[in-house]
Amino acid sequence: MAYEMIEVRTEAGKVGIVTLNRPKQMNALNNQLMDEMGAALKAFDADEAIGCMIVTGSEKAFAAGADIGAMATYSFADVYKGDYITRNWETIRSIRKPVIAAVSGFALGGGCELAMMCDFIIAADNARFGQPEIKLGIIPGAGGTQRLPRAVGKAKAMDLALTGRMMNADEAERGGLVSRVVPLDKLMEEALGAALMICDYSQIAVMAAKESINRSFESGLSDGVMFERRIFHALFATTDQKEGMDAFVNKRKAQFKHQ
Ligand code: CAA
């Protein structure tokens, strides 16, 4: 598939990188871009050689939200019948290998929501996060009212969604939205370092860890722990568990085969 609104590349043959590429619109998200990103991530997910993915934008903007120009004339019938957002914006949620968001500049509205749909966020020190939809007469519509409170708690989520203010990278890290903040010029190095580290672990264990943590948002504690325990037990059937533990016992580096 030829892409017009994203750039796709691999690093070290094992990390798939998707770069949002609508610089004039600050990477505003529209259906074509979301279709392209979904297709690229699915292709990486299906590629045996790829162990981890990174979604990133430009220095100025990860993504400044849904494309307001495209949305401005939509009617209720358009968005309801067309299943706006639901139809194609959440493909990323079906990706089973880890996806890291490397965020610099603005991550607003749908941009913040996209970052939250990734597995974790590494932010540059110039990153700004917010859900400013209230200023447009709407509310966050790509999961912001659900994922933001889970990430930063009710107080900050309400503050951000009701005032439309932005938070900087330090506040986002303090609040628990981002896992690390690094200088802007180190962003991709840091994200790539994390991705390569993940690629070297057992892909089965990595996918299982992602699946189990995601389950914690969908279930009560007892059911979640039971889910975890069953997967934990199942991992003892893998070659990689034998390799990882044998390597530790014999003081050598594990060579996982993803089996
Ligand atoms: N959609 C379409 N175009 C956008 C855009 C968006 N979300 N955000 C920025 N742009 C465009 C601007 O229109 C402008 O284009 P022109 O040069 O053709 O005028 C260009 O990007 C640069 O923007 P600014 O001149 O405004 O740059 P700035 O540095 O002064 O401000 C900004 C940057 C704070 C990000 C500002 O552009 C802004 O507030 N953007 C809108 C943010 C927003 O409201 N996002 C939420 C969208 S709704 C949503 O996402 C719904 C949902 O939950 C799914």
Side-chain angles (χ1 to χ4, degrees):
M1 179 170 176
Y3 301 119
E4 291 174 356
M5 299 193 173
I6 59 169
E7 283 174 356
V8 172
R9 67 189 168 93
T10 56
E11 279 284 342
K14 45 190 172 182
V15 179
I17 302 179
V18 174
T19 305
L20 310 187
N21 187 29
R22 296 187 77 206
K24 287 195 187 125
Q25 295 84 9
M26 294 218 166
N27 291 334
L29 308 170
N30 62 15
N31 278 325
Q32 183 182 341
L33 186 151
M34 296 315 273
D35 278 338
E36 291 183 7
M37 187 175 63
L41 292 174
K42 278 180 122 166
F44 281 141
D45 210 30
D47 184 339
E48 278 278 322
I50 298 294
C52 189
M53 288 154 247
I54 297 173
V55 174
T56 194
S58 67
E59 282 189 11
K60 261 194 188 164
F62 176 72
D67 190 321
I68 301 169
M71 273 188 304
T73 58
Y74 284 170
S75 66
F76 168 75
D78 292 331
V79 293
Y80 185 74
K81 289 200 296 185
D83 212 11
Y84 182 48
I85 306 291
T86 320
R87 188 180 66 75
N88 57 348
W89 284 46
E90 294 169 324
T91 307
I92 192 167
R93 290 174 54 207
S94 68
I95 302 301
R96 298 181 69 208
K97 294 171 188 166
V99 184
I100 300 171
V103 174
S104 45
F106 296 107
L108 301 177
C112 185
E113 291 166 311
L114 170 61
M116 288 191 288
M117 280 191 264
C118 297
D119 296 313
F120 63 97
I121 303 172
I122 299 180
D125 50 12
N126 77 337
R128 311 277 299 274
F129 297 87
Q131 298 290 160
E133 289 89 341
I134 202 76
K135 296 180 184 174
L136 301 169
I138 55 170
I139 66 169
T145 66
Q146 305 304 302
R147 292 195 180 90
L148 193 60
R150 282 168 167 80
V152 301
K154 176 183 165 183
K156 262 193 204 299
M158 283 285 188
D159 181 359
L160 291 163
L162 296 179
T163 69
R165 79 171 175 90
M166 296 181 214
M167 60 179 169
N168 65 23
D170 286 338
E171 185 181 356
E173 188 187 27
R174 278 199 309 278
L177 179 64
V178 315
S179 67
R180 317 177 191 182
V181 179
V182 295
L184 175 58
D185 62 353
K186 294 276 182 293
L187 178 65
M188 282 315 285
E189 190 182 316
E190 187 82 6
L192 203 52
L196 287 168
M197 185 178 275
I198 291 167
C199 288
D200 280 349
Y201 296 131
S202 164
Q203 202 173 92
I204 299 176
V206 162
M207 288 164 72
K210 168 171 173 164
E211 191 177 2
S212 194
I213 290 175
N214 280 336
R215 181 57 76 101
S216 76
F217 293 98
E218 311 287 345
S219 62
L221 183 61
S222 302
D223 286 345
V225 169
M226 181 62 81
F227 183 85
E228 173 205 86
R229 207 55 41 79
R230 291 292 169 258
I231 292 192
F232 173 73
H233 289 162
L235 290 173
F236 283 78
T238 64
T239 307
D240 286 342
Q241 173 265 333
K242 299 289 174 295
E243 167 63 10
M245 295 192 184
D246 184 73
F248 178 84
V249 169
N250 291 300
K251 302 190 188 307
R252 62 174 178 84
K253 189 176 175 344
Q255 301 289 339
F256 293 113
K257 295 202 163 60
H258 314 303
Q259 285 169 359

